[in-house]
């Protein structure tokens, strides 16, 4: 299984800053095919990033993919402020982050909406990265696995073997943007559980589904986390905003 190292820039970087970043980052990952790399800029910078990436791919070999941070499930309609899968298709977007904890907590996204987005993304050839994870309160109550199971069962409801077209990101909410990552053992316990759950739900068709860890991943902790057998890559927020740090995380993964 090829691991996936994904960057979630959240609401950071203008078009100019995005192009500046790619100018530095792309040469560092030229001809690097051992892992899949994904970058998810804000919507306003997607078109420019897409053009820049296409131009780079005409000049050399890059295993870098473009991601969106969110998507609505309908193709078009009266959904003010939303972005459709057709709009992402037009920009050659390969991945979409779905159900990020910030979408769940700040924007009130519920599992059935997230499930609709997962279905729509797959239908339009965009690979969803379904984010799940417990809050600190839930961890302290000892219900982490129950919370994650519920989010996965509902988020992937009705998919069956199509789970092979999805990646999962386990992102403990208490570890996101806090500088406090889950220990490799804490993460591995949940990843192992997710692997057995998706194996059951997909009836064994989960060998292409990567289970990423997300939550304060940085060059300093990447190596110990990626050594865990059920961690198949990362979803990186803060540390991905610096092209050098993001590249360092990639090299840590390659060295293990
Ligand atoms: C994220 O928001 O997906 C994330 C993992 O953020 P950070 O790396 O900053 O914790």
């Amino acid at each position: 299984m090829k691991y996936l190292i994904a960057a979630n820039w959240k609401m950071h970087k203008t078009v100019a800053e995005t192009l500046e970043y790619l100018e530095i980052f792309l040469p560092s990952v030229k001809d690097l095919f051992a892992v899949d790399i994904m970058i998810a800029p804000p919507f306003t910078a997607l078109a420019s990033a897409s053009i820049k990436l296409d131009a780079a791919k005409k000049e050399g070999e890059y295993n870098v993919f473009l991601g969106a941070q969110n998507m609505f499930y309908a193709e078009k309609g009266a959904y003010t402020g939303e972005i459709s899968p057709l709009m992402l298709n037009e920009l050659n977007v390969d991945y979409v982050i779905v159900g990020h904890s910030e979408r769940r907590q700040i924007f009130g996204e519920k599992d059935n909406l997230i499930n609709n987005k997962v279905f729509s993304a797959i239908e339009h050839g965009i690979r969803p990265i379904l984010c799940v994870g417990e809050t600190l309160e839930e961890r302290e109550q000892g219900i982490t696995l129950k919370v994650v199971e519920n989010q996965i069962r509902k988020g992937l409801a009705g998919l069956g073997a199509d789970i092979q077209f999805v990646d999962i990101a386990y992102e403990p909410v208490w570890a996101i943007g806090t500088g406090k990552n889950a220990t490799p053992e804490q993460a591995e316990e949940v990843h192992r559980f997710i692997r057995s759950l998706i194996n059951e739900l997909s009836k064994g068709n989960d060998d292409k589904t990567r289970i990423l860890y997300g939550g304060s991943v940085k060059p300093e902790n990447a190596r110990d986390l990626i050594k865990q057998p059920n961690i198949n890559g990362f979803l990186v927020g803060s540390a991905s905003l610096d092209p050098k740090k993001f590249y360092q995380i990639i090299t840590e993964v390659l060295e293990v």
Side-chain angles (χ1 to χ4, degrees), residues 8 10 100 102 171 175-177 214-217 235-238:
N8 172 18
K10 313 192 187 193
H100 190 279
E102 287 150 16
E171 301 204 303
I176 295 180
S216 297
V217 174
L235 181 56
V236 189
S238 321

Coordinates of all heavy atoms in Angstrom, one line a residue, residues 8 10 100 102 171 175-177 214-217 235-238, ligand 1:
N8 N -3.4 19.8 4.8 CA -4.6 20.6 5.0 C -4.3 22.0 5.4 O -3.9 22.2 6.5 CB -5.5 19.9 6.0 CG -6.8 20.8 6.3 OD1 -7.1 21.7 5.5 ND2 -7.4 20.5 7.4
K10 N -6.2 24.6 5.6 CA -7.3 25.3 6.2 C -7.5 26.7 5.6 O -7.2 26.8 4.4 CB -7.1 25.4 7.8 CG -6.7 24.0 8.4 CD -6.8 24.0 9.8 CE -6.2 22.7 10.4 NZ -6.5 22.5 11.7
H100 N -14.1 17.0 8.4 CA -13.1 17.5 9.3 C -13.8 17.9 10.6 O -14.9 18.5 10.6 CB -12.3 18.6 8.7 CG -11.1 19.0 9.4 ND1 -11.1 19.8 10.5 CD2 -9.8 18.6 9.3 CE1 -9.9 19.9 11.0 NE2 -9.1 19.2 10.2
E102 N -13.3 20.4 12.4 CA -13.7 21.9 12.4 C -15.1 22.1 11.6 O -15.8 22.9 12.0 CB -12.6 22.7 11.8 CG -11.4 22.8 12.7 CD -10.1 23.0 12.1 OE1 -10.0 23.3 10.9 OE2 -9.0 22.8 12.8
E171 N -8.2 11.7 13.5 CA -7.7 13.0 14.0 C -8.3 13.3 15.4 O -9.4 13.8 15.5 CB -8.0 14.1 13.1 CG -7.4 14.0 11.7 CD -7.3 15.3 11.0 OE1 -8.3 16.1 10.9 OE2 -6.1 15.6 10.6
A175 N -5.9 16.8 19.7 CA -4.5 16.9 19.1 C -4.4 17.8 18.0 O -3.3 18.1 17.5 CB -4.1 15.5 18.7
I176 N -5.5 18.4 17.5 CA -5.5 19.2 16.3 C -5.1 20.6 16.6 O -5.8 21.3 17.4 CB -6.9 19.2 15.5 CG1 -7.1 17.7 15.0 CG2 -6.9 20.2 14.4 CD1 -8.4 17.6 14.3
G177 N -4.0 21.1 16.1 CA -3.6 22.5 16.3 C -3.2 22.8 17.7 O -3.0 24.0 18.0
G214 N -3.8 12.3 12.0 CA -3.7 13.7 11.9 C -3.8 14.3 13.3 O -4.6 13.8 14.2
G215 N -3.1 15.3 13.6 CA -3.1 16.0 14.9 C -1.7 16.3 15.4 O -1.0 15.4 15.9
S216 N -1.3 17.6 15.1 CA 0.0 18.0 15.5 C 1.2 17.2 15.0 O 2.2 17.0 15.7 CB 0.1 18.2 17.0 OG -0.8 19.2 17.4
V217 N 1.0 16.7 13.7 CA 2.2 15.9 13.1 C 3.2 17.0 12.7 O 2.9 18.0 12.2 CB 1.7 15.1 11.9 CG1 3.0 14.5 11.2 CG2 0.7 14.1 12.3
L235 N -2.4 13.3 7.8 CA -3.0 14.5 7.4 C -2.4 15.6 8.3 O -2.6 15.6 9.5 CB -4.5 14.4 7.6 CG -5.4 15.6 7.1 CD1 -5.1 16.0 5.7 CD2 -6.9 15.3 7.3
V236 N -1.8 16.6 7.6 CA -1.0 17.5 8.4 C -1.6 18.9 8.2 O -1.8 19.4 7.1 CB 0.5 17.6 7.8 CG1 1.4 18.4 8.7 CG2 1.1 16.2 7.7
G237 N -1.8 19.6 9.3 CA -2.3 21.0 9.3 C -1.2 22.0 9.4 O -0.4 22.2 8.4
S238 N -1.0 22.5 10.6 CA 0.0 23.6 10.8 C 1.4 23.4 10.1 O 1.9 24.3 9.5 CB 0.2 23.8 12.3 OG -1.0 23.7 13.0
Ligands
LIG1 C1 -5.9 19.1 10.7 O1 -6.5 20.1 10.9 O2 -6.2 18.3 9.9 C2 -4.6 18.9 11.5 C3 -4.1 17.7 11.6 O3 -4.0 20.0 12.0 P1 -2.7 20.2 12.9 O4 -1.6 19.3 12.1 O5 -2.3 21.6 12.9 O6 -2.9 19.6 14.2

